[in-house]
Amino acid sequence: MGRIILPPKLRSHSVYLFVSDDCKPCMDMMKHLYKMRDGIVRVIEVLDLSLWATSPEAAKRATKLAYEHNIRRVPTLVVVNHVLGIEEERIQGDKRIVQNIHRILKKYWEKIE
């Protein structure tokens, strides 16, 4: 049986990936991640912290979450547990994120079987 992804409001965890359009390692990493077929775009919320974000609303949300999670550099991946109200994992750096992405997806991808 395949995996079913729950809507974000029903998930116990959120996975945020903070990047910036003017960060070359971020963009190279994103090209690599988009090639993966594990549904990464539906599971991980990519938040652009560049000055030219996709929309004012997206920029406002990204900035708010970056402040809440004390993001000081990009790329940074953060896993938040909404049930406990805590940050469970933080991975910084493009190489470390790519190395851990399968583990993160396996651990936090909501499944119903």
Side-chain angles (χ1 to χ4, degrees):
M1 179 174 243
R3 295 179 177 178
I4 298 173
I5 301 172
L6 296 174
K9 63 183 173 184
L10 298 178
R11 296 182 196 159
S12 61
H13 292 81
S14 289
V15 182
Y16 301 123
L17 178 58
F18 295 91
V19 296
S20 178
D21 280 347
D22 53 1
C23 163
K24 181 160 176 26
C26 293
M27 294 301 100
D28 292 343
M29 177 192 64
M30 290 307 298
K31 286 178 190 173
H32 177 77
L33 294 179
Y34 279 128
K35 290 179 185 175
M36 297 172 63
R37 295 187 179 195
D38 288 331
I40 189 168
V41 177
R42 294 176 289 170
V43 175
I44 296 176
E45 184 175 350
V46 178
L47 299 159
D48 184 3
L49 295 175
S50 67
L51 293 175
W52 310 107
T54 54
S55 71
E57 295 81 21
K60 188 175 183 178
R61 176 167 166 68
T63 303
K64 179 180 180 265
L65 286 168
Y67 178 78
E68 287 175 7
H69 296 288
N70 199 27
I71 302 300
R72 298 284 181 228
R73 62 178 235 183
V74 290
T76 298
L77 184 135
V78 176
V79 179
V80 177
N81 181 322
H82 298 296
V83 175
L84 300 176
I86 60 170
E87 182 179 303
E88 286 194 4
E89 288 193 50
R90 175 182 292 249
I91 303 172
Q92 294 181 321
D94 57 325
K95 290 180 177 76
R96 290 191 62 223
I97 291 170
V98 170
Q99 289 169 350
N100 286 284
I101 200 67
H102 287 292
R103 179 186 60 77
I104 294 287
L105 289 174
K106 185 176 179 182
K107 187 173 181 180
Y108 299 107
W109 190 336
E110 301 292 342
K111 293 187 275 185
I112 299 174
E113 299 190 89

